[in-house]
Amino acid sequence: MRTVLVRKIANTRLAEDDDLLELAVVRTEDEVVIGDVLLVLRSVEHQTVEVGYIFSPAYGRQGYATEAVRALLEVAFFELGARRVVARVDARNTASRALLERLGMRQEANLIENEWIKGELTSEVDCAVLAREWLKAHG
């Protein structure tokens, strides 16, 4: 666990393919860690960034994940100059899929039985939004 934490703390820039930045999400009123978000530079050449997130179920349906992922998209498009942002979610996670849709991401692929999660073969959904689409909606 300590090795993983040291590695995560050391990742502070996105410059090369597969560089990642992982951040804790802390609720300001009580300084409780409620989730974890990340940006991964998937391709410098194609200007593609991936967003990821996980939140404690105790803090679900309160807008925290939406706020955090929106901030990641802002960073990706305005700070990093991404052309495209992608996200991959468990197909069964309807709340996460709805979150991405609310933020303007569209489903682009349905990957059938492609991932083992907790010992179960599952399907995943790929979603994406382009910079021009984000800027038109949030410019």
Side-chain angles (χ1 to χ4, degrees):
M1 180 72 139
R2 182 171 172 73
T3 305
V4 172
L5 186 58
V6 168
R7 178 183 48 81
K8 287 180 179 185
I9 291 170
N11 292 328
T12 59
R13 65 186 187 99
L14 298 173
E16 298 176 14
D17 287 2
D18 298 323
D19 280 355
L20 67 91
L21 178 62
E22 194 165 6
L23 306 167
V25 178
V26 178
R27 205 165 65 163
T28 55
E29 58 265 26
D30 56 11
E31 297 186 1
V32 170
V33 175
I34 62 171
D36 183 275
V37 297
L38 66 90
L39 286 173
V40 183
L41 182 54
R42 287 295 174 207
S43 174
V44 172
E45 178 183 4
H46 301 292
Q47 300 168 299
T48 301
V49 173
E50 181 176 351
V51 297
Y53 50 92
I54 187 164
F55 281 79
S56 168
Y59 299 96
R61 302 199 179 278
Q62 297 178 47
Y64 295 121
T66 301
E67 180 181 350
V69 176
R70 181 180 288 117
L72 291 177
L73 291 167
E74 294 282 327
V75 169
F77 290 126
F78 294 116
E79 303 298 323
L80 300 175
R83 182 188 60 79
R84 173 182 175 81
V85 175
V86 298
R88 179 172 286 177
V89 297
D90 186 323
R92 300 167 299 177
N93 190 338
T94 56
S96 189
R97 291 171 68 181
L99 180 155
L100 295 174
E101 187 176 303
R102 273 194 309 278
L103 292 173
M105 297 184 84
R106 74 182 150 284
Q107 180 177 323
E108 292 192 334
N110 189 8
L111 308 170
I112 307 299
E113 296 182 359
N114 71 307
E115 187 79 21
W116 287 97
I117 298 177
K118 297 180 182 175
E120 181 180 0
L121 191 57
T122 63
S123 299
E124 291 181 302
V125 172
D126 282 357
C127 298
V129 63
L130 299 174
R132 69 172 182 265
E133 296 165 331
W134 181 260
L135 293 173
K136 184 176 180 182
H138 303 91

